[in-house]
């Protein structure tokens, strides 16, 4: 069974940092584009960051660019999200997602429907 398991969430003060990790199993991780999405209270799930199957390209939502960094280790089947300069509006449940067809695509998608598998999410709370 395909599993994506996030970890690293928690409570942090504004301006602080957190590093989220996602461990993947049961899929061809090396062929998948990987993404991070988040769902803020009362809002729909939104794109945060994505990384190509080979790790050569990364993509970020405008509000995250310059603060967040996505990376992957294909040897360990993991993808990470380093979050710096956190703001209260970053408070959300953060989800790891996999686009199994990533290697076949001409570019990395940032929309939710393109991601086949999702983790259960990890809570990030940023206090003022």
């Amino acid at each position: 069974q395909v599993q994506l398991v996030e970890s690293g969430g928690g409570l942090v003060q504004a301006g602080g940092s957190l590093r989220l990790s996602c461990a993947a199993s049961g899929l061809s991780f090396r062929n998948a584009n990987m993404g991070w999405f988040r769902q803020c209270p009362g809002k729909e799930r939104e794109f945060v960051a994505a990384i190509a199957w080979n790790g050569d390209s990364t993509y970020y939502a405008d509000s995250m660019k310059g603060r967040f960094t996505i990376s992957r280790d294909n040897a360990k089947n993991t993808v990470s999200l380093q979050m710096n300069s956190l703001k209260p509006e970053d408070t959300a449940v953060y989800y790891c997602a996999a686009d199994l067809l990533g290697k076949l695509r001409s570019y990395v998608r940032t929309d939710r429907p393109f991601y086949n598998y999702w983790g259960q999410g990890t809570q990030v709370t940023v206090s003022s």
Side-chain angles (χ1 to χ4, degrees):
Q1 182 69 36
V2 174
Q3 290 189 9
L4 299 174
V5 181
E6 303 95 336
S7 62
L11 176 65
V12 65
Q13 292 184 345
S17 299
L18 283 174
R19 185 176 180 87
L20 307 182
S21 295
C22 174
S25 62
L27 57 81
S28 297
F29 185 81
R30 70 187 71 180
N31 296 331
N33 293 340
M34 301 297 297
W36 286 96
F37 294 76
R38 71 184 184 186
Q39 188 162 12
C40 299
K43 299 181 65 177
E44 294 186 358
R45 198 169 300 186
E46 65 179 346
F47 171 74
V48 173
I51 186 167
W53 62 276
N54 58 3
D56 288 345
S57 301
T58 58
Y59 305 84
Y60 301 92
D62 288 343
S63 62
M64 268 65 78
K65 193 170 186 177
R67 299 189 299 126
F68 292 6
T69 302
I70 188 171
S71 60
R72 68 189 296 162
D73 186 339
N74 283 4
K76 298 180 179 179
N77 285 7
T78 59
V79 60
S80 298
L81 183 70
Q82 178 67 44
M83 305 186 295
N84 299 326
S85 301
L86 285 164
K87 306 172 182 178
E89 54 262 42
D90 294 321
T91 295
V93 177
Y94 284 73
Y95 297 89
C96 176
D99 173 9
L100 195 63
L101 301 180
K103 189 176 181 181
L104 302 179
R105 304 191 190 279
S106 58
Y107 59 94
V108 177
R109 265 66 169 183
T110 59
D111 294 332
R112 289 176 290 149
F114 292 97
Y115 289 83
N116 309 99
Y117 302 101
W118 297 81
Q120 294 299 307
T122 185
Q123 176 71 48
V124 172
T125 302
V126 184
S127 63
S128 300

